[in-house]
Amino acid sequence: MNAAAKSKNVFADVLERVRGAATPLLAPDTDFSRVLVEPPRDPTHGDMATNAAMVLAKDAGKKPRDLAEAIGANLRSDDIVEKVEIAGPGFINLTLKSHVWAEELRRVLRGGADYGRSDIGKREKVNVEYVSANPTGPMHVGHCRGAVFGDALANLLTFADFDVTREYYINDAGAQVDVLARSAYLRYREALGENIGQIPEGLYPGDYLKPVGEALAAEHGGALVGKPESEWLQIARAKAIAMMMAAIRADLAALNVSQDAFFSERSLIAGGKDQVAATIDELRARGEVYQGRLPPPKGGAAEDWEDREQTLFRSTDFGDDVDRPLMKSDGSYTYFASDIAYHKSKFDRGFLHMIDVWGADHGGYIKRMQAAVKAVSGGKADLDVKIIQLVKLLRAGEPVKMSKRAGEFVTLREVVDEVGRDAVRFMMLYRKNDAVLDFDLAKVIEQSRDNPVFYVQYAHARGESVFRNAREMLPDLPRAAAERAAMLQGARIERLSDSGELSLMRRIAAFPRVIEAAAVAHEPHRIAFYLYELASEFHALWTRGKDLPHLRFIIQNDPETTKARLALVQGIVTVLASGLALLGVSAPEEMR
RNA sequence: GACCCCGUAGCUCAGUUGGAUAGAGCAUCAGCCUUCUAAGCUGAGGGUCGCAGGUUCGAAUCCUGCCGGGGUCGCCA
């Protein structure tokens, strides 16, 4: 019977009540989709504000303020509404009875790690493709932002009830893996005792290929020496790719990133079944692939431009600027051609939602890929491409130099080893994906407010510390979070009346909204910012207990008040831990 | 020349998908530790949201045009 218990959270509940209050005043088929219930920026405007009257005024044929008064009058009799105020152009500001917030906090304690889960995903399948670094060497620091982003986004979508597959596309078919094979072959000869001298220009110079050479030597002895490339290339390539992928997976594991599916580009054309050709033929049959000529690029002098007829995909039919070539001049497929076949495979595997996480230099590629997804799926599937901007690696404000030419780059492993997984992950998510990120190795291990990783983790540890201290007074307070939460559900939360406490209860209650908004927008950074704000408010309330002892969480001769406040702390700790878990960052019990 | 992204406080950045008087951190200045972790907190100053139009009850947010920065532009992935 209690509507609040049925709905997912207070915001959804209040929205229902606003609709209920407005419906009798409107035509039966009124569209409520633009009606929002939000926490107002200014707390003096109450707990909730709705734009209902302003959005619906036109349909109702009334002035916004008049309609607001009418809706407000109906809301005033609602049993969870304390106060209704009409403000500005027609906002309806609601103050809710305080038991509403106590109820919501109990819901947090009941839900534990599940609080904030959403059902908006409806178990729909979504494919999140990320990292997809070429298997030609270890992961370097530039890869880790996309890795962390994709991983956190996948966590978030899972939490919002999508059926998520985390995928890695292995570019094991292009010319660069042949270069890898030749580089490994050279290391193979070296492993057999040959002096290979300087690594020639055009081959990968890094030492990380030595183990591949040694493995080849151990496996094949001298059998491959002096043979033509055609006899060893495949062998060296397969070995090198397998070993590089193993290294990459180990690097990703160090970041706590794991993926479900590793899709090989080579598999598209292997086994006598050329799926790239098949995809192109299919599109050609539908008139979306044709032989034609492209205009030369404008602006540039285009000296080596050679006008020729080629195989083109009609991406302009799907919103792209020009049609895109599918074959190189030597008759092989372009990367785009295999990418179309690859995305078709995602569609064939049942994914109607695809998310690709790409580096910033691929921005110009988005439209054609979205066009291709529309084409191969007959408009049924959608592709969102998240562009991950560069990371500027700094140390105490100074850029960290790296020379790719000398084969020296900062590896992902080095960074994780130096500052820790949590710092890397949190900082990579503490910026919108399309903004350049400064990553300062010195700053992220600082233990200060300047370092958001520390600041948020510290809030969690502080909360846990309260429980440790409270146990002196309440010896039966359980250590395990779930049992403790169960016990604290019985606390008299209604007696919490300080504005800081109430404000924290509202902040906690906003978590499900943040989850949904972040999931819909594919923006995990919103969780990081939310956690920072929650931590900040908790630190503030904590310190107020210094000046005002009656506001401390633990009140020596008042177990009832103490329990009520511990319930609040439990709510804070629960949401902090679950938000951090979505980001893949640990929630420590203490910071020492 | 075309397309994409960015432009918000001195610096680094958020801004709840169009809401009310635009917010944090750093830096600057002024304060708070016999007490639950001062690894923290409170307050002050600091803004023509790049510029100009438009859409509407209402624009940092949407549209158009400029300005500035970055990226991309048949054969690399």
Side-chain angles (χ1 to χ4, degrees), chain A residues 210-262:
Chain A
K210 281 184 180 172
V212 181
E214 285 157 15
L216 285 168
E219 229 169 282
H220 300 277
L224 305 179
V225 179
K227 294 284 165 57
E229 183 175 291
S230 60
E231 287 184 33
W232 53 258
L233 188 75
Q234 281 193 31
I235 297 169
R237 189 172 58 203
K239 191 75 193 169
I241 290 172
M243 289 182 71
M244 289 305 105
M245 284 309 297
I248 286 170
R249 289 165 90 137
D251 285 349
L252 289 172
L255 257 186
N256 217 2
V257 172
S258 65
Q259 279 151 303
D260 309 311
F262 288 80

Side-chain angles (χ1 to χ4, degrees), chain A residues 357-386:
Chain A
V357 180
W358 293 350
D361 52 343
H362 286 56
Y365 205 75
I366 298 176
K367 277 191 187 174
R368 78 189 70 167
M369 203 64 248
Q370 288 176 327
V373 167
K374 277 186 217 160
V376 297
S377 73
K380 287 186 196 131
D382 55 73
L383 168 69
D384 186 19
V385 178
K386 304 303 285 187

Side-chain angles (χ1 to χ4, degrees), chain A residues 104-339:
Chain A
E104 185 68 12
L105 180 53
R106 285 200 181 88
R107 190 159 6 191
V108 178
L109 302 186
R110 255 198 320 275
D114 286 327
Y115 180 74
R117 271 190 194 277
S118 162
D119 59 6
I120 53 169
K122 303 186 187 99
R123 302 304 303 157
E124 285 173 26
K125 288 181 71 169
V126 53
N127 182 294
V128 186
E129 182 211 328
Y130 55 104
V131 189
S132 299
N134 292 342
T136 55
M139 304 269 295
H140 57 80
V141 68
H143 291 123
C144 69
R145 189 173 181 194
V148 170
F149 177 90
D151 189 62
L153 177 58
N155 291 344
L156 172 61
L157 292 173
T158 303
F159 203 57
D161 203 34
F162 284 93
D163 179 6
V164 180
T165 295
R166 303 150 185 262
E167 189 151 312
Y168 186 120
Y169 183 52
I170 309 172
N171 297 132
D172 53 4
Q176 84 286 350
V177 287
D178 289 344
V179 173
L180 176 75
R182 290 183 197 108
S183 311
Y185 182 72
L186 197 62
R187 295 297 190 179
Y188 158 73
R189 283 161 46 198
E190 181 184 41
L192 290 172
E194 191 176 328
N195 180 4
I196 58 169
Q198 281 250 307
I199 306 290
E201 192 79 11
L203 293 187
Y204 296 114
D207 285 349
Y208 58 84
L209 284 173
K210 281 184 180 172
V212 181
E214 285 157 15
L216 285 168
E219 229 169 282
H220 300 277
L224 305 179
V225 179
K227 294 284 165 57
E229 183 175 291
S230 60
E231 287 184 33
W232 53 258
L233 188 75
Q234 281 193 31
I235 297 169
R237 189 172 58 203
K239 191 75 193 169
I241 290 172
M243 289 182 71
M244 289 305 105
M245 284 309 297
I248 286 170
R249 289 165 90 137
D251 285 349
L252 289 172
L255 257 186
N256 217 2
V257 172
S258 65
Q259 279 151 303
D260 309 311
F262 288 80
F263 191 99
S264 156
E265 178 184 4
R266 190 166 286 277
S267 74
L268 289 169
I269 50 171
K273 237 177 68 182
D274 189 335
Q275 296 176 57
V276 181
T279 304
I280 292 175
D281 286 347
E282 193 183 315
L283 289 173
R284 196 191 300 274
R286 283 195 244 152
E288 283 150 9
V289 168
Y290 66 102
Q291 302 301 119
R293 291 167 191 279
L294 278 180
K298 292 181 178 160
E303 296 131 22
D304 58 346
W305 174 262
E306 179 199 338
D307 189 29
R308 64 178 179 88
E309 194 177 80
Q310 50 187 339
T311 306
L312 296 169
F313 168 56
R314 215 180 285 281
S315 50
T316 45
D317 277 3
F318 303 91
D320 199 2
D321 311 306
V322 287
D323 291 341
R324 304 292 178 176
L326 300 171
M327 306 278 249
K328 300 179 198 171
S329 51
D330 66 1
S332 61
Y333 303 120
T334 58
Y335 185 79
F336 180 49
S338 10
D339 240 352

